[in-house]
Amino acid sequence: MHGGLMIRARRLVIGHWPMAVLLALFGILYSFSLNSYGMFLWDEAEYASIGRSVLRGQGFAVSGVPNSLRPPILPLAGAASMLLFGEQSDDSVLRGTASGFALLALLCVYGFAAAAFDRTTGLVAAALLGIAPYFWIFVPHFMCEIPFLAFFAAAVWFFYFGAYIHQRFFLWSWICWALAFLTRYTASLFLPVIVLFVAIAWWQGGPDTRRRLWSRTFLLSPLAGLLLLVPWLTREYVTFGRPLAGIRKASHQLQDYLPGVSMPWNLYFRDMPDMLSLEIAALFVAGVVWAFWKRA
């Protein structure tokens, strides 16, 4: 059995060798910038402290005080990395964990774009994400943005495949959503996203799409995601008296620290050229137009 798995893994790598080379290249490039920012920022320090606390058997806490704000995926990943590779004085192990999540995000983009279109499209999409300025800036940070991007994108893509290819993908969509929620509470936005998506798919899709959207798998799949959340929500309730204590605190975090700051509805559209670079943003817009034209 072990030999068969090795053969299948070798065939998989050979079949997708350009992406394997791309991941290796970005892994090397990202490794040069691991310590480019020096000491941790405030948020990074909290994630790192929680990870070390978990590793030392002191609970999900900062300086012995239970923490309700930070979701568990990133601190637990940091604790696992330190368990495997040891604690380093320069925090390079934790920064390496962040780079690992960046490579996972690139792999997700490649896999879903290749499945929806072709391998060349997937490779180009992954390469463009890998060199996007805002993405590259966050790679050395031990922060939740990049792992959240990977899990949330996977949730949306799997939902798309569930509606248009096979309903079994709905299960994977909700599992990825749960992982995204346990990484960053912004995953709560998945609900309006899928409500809009279902409305469009029901209106534009054919009988097969509507059948998938009314299947037992579609209706029961959210339970898989909720099941993954139960341990964390239980911990929040037992520790703080509210199962959604983290979301409650995160909802007014910005106003607490920056009372005069607000984010307009068009923030992401306005800042996209700076986040991606003007050239990549232009290619993104062209790709969206091309995708809609092909579907029409």
Side-chain angles (χ1 to χ4, degrees):
M1 181 180 293
H2 179 71
L5 290 175
M6 290 297 294
I7 292 174
R8 284 195 291 271
R10 190 180 300 115
R11 288 176 178 172
L12 183 63
V13 172
I14 292 174
H16 298 273
W17 68 266
M19 187 57 198
V21 171
L22 188 72
L23 288 176
L25 174 62
F26 275 116
I28 294 171
L29 293 175
Y30 292 156
S31 69
F32 294 144
S33 63
L34 286 184
N35 294 310
S36 58
Y37 297 129
M39 64 185 296
F40 278 154
L41 301 174
W42 177 268
D43 289 345
E44 292 180 286
E46 279 205 357
Y47 283 120
S49 296
I50 295 171
R52 290 192 176 94
S53 179
V54 171
L55 181 65
R56 296 168 183 173
Q58 299 168 352
F60 200 88
V62 177
S63 300
V65 179
N67 186 277
S68 65
L69 176 63
R70 308 296 178 184
I73 290 292
L74 186 61
L76 293 181
S81 296
M82 289 187 288
L83 179 63
L84 292 174
F85 303 106
E87 297 184 49
Q88 304 295 329
S89 59
D90 60 357
D91 295 311
S92 57
V93 169
L94 294 175
R95 296 192 188 277
T97 304
S99 296
F101 277 121
L103 297 181
L104 174 64
L106 298 184
L107 185 60
C108 286
V109 168
Y110 168 77
F112 290 118
F117 300 100
D118 53 58
R119 294 182 184 179
T120 301
T121 303
L123 191 67
V124 172
L128 291 177
L129 175 62
I131 64 174
Y134 210 68
F135 185 86
W136 196 301
I137 286 171
F138 269 94
V139 168
H141 284 305
F142 187 59
M143 299 277 281
C144 63
E145 280 79 0
I146 287 182
F148 170 76
L149 182 152
F151 294 134
F152 194 81
V156 174
W157 269 108
F158 275 130
F159 201 90
Y160 171 86
F161 290 153
Y164 290 103
I165 297 177
H166 196 284
Q167 58 265 28
R168 68 174 180 272
F169 291 111
F170 288 127
L171 176 64
W172 291 106
S173 175
W174 284 101
I175 289 173
C176 289
W177 168 77
L179 294 175
F181 184 88
L182 294 173
T183 304
R184 188 178 175 91
Y185 294 128
T186 316
S188 304
L189 294 175
F190 189 56
L191 180 58
V193 168
I194 62 172
V195 167
L196 180 61
F197 182 90
V198 167
I200 295 174
W202 190 275
W203 175 48
Q204 291 188 336
D208 289 340
T209 297
R210 296 189 184 97
R211 176 180 53 80
R212 297 184 194 103
L213 292 174
W214 194 245
S215 65
R216 180 182 299 178
T217 304
F218 172 81
L219 298 174
L220 296 180
S221 290
L223 296 177
L226 294 175
L227 187 63
L228 287 179
L229 298 184
V230 165
W232 177 249
L233 298 181
T234 301
R235 179 261 179 187
E236 294 281 89
Y237 178 76
V238 170
T239 307
F240 304 103
R242 297 174 181 270
L244 300 178
I247 294 181
R248 182 182 176 86
K249 188 170 184 178
S251 65
H252 54 78
Q253 189 79 350
L254 182 64
Q255 290 77 14
D256 288 346
Y257 290 94
L258 298 170
V261 173
S262 62
M263 294 187 178
W265 69 269
N266 63 341
L267 176 70
Y268 290 109
F269 296 102
R270 188 185 65 193
D271 291 352
M272 188 174 291
D274 292 331
M275 295 168 65
L276 300 178
S277 81
L278 186 60
E279 296 80 6
I280 296 178
L283 289 173
F284 166 76
V285 172
V288 171
V289 172
W290 176 79
F292 276 104
W293 177 76
K294 291 286 287 185
R295 181 175 289 274

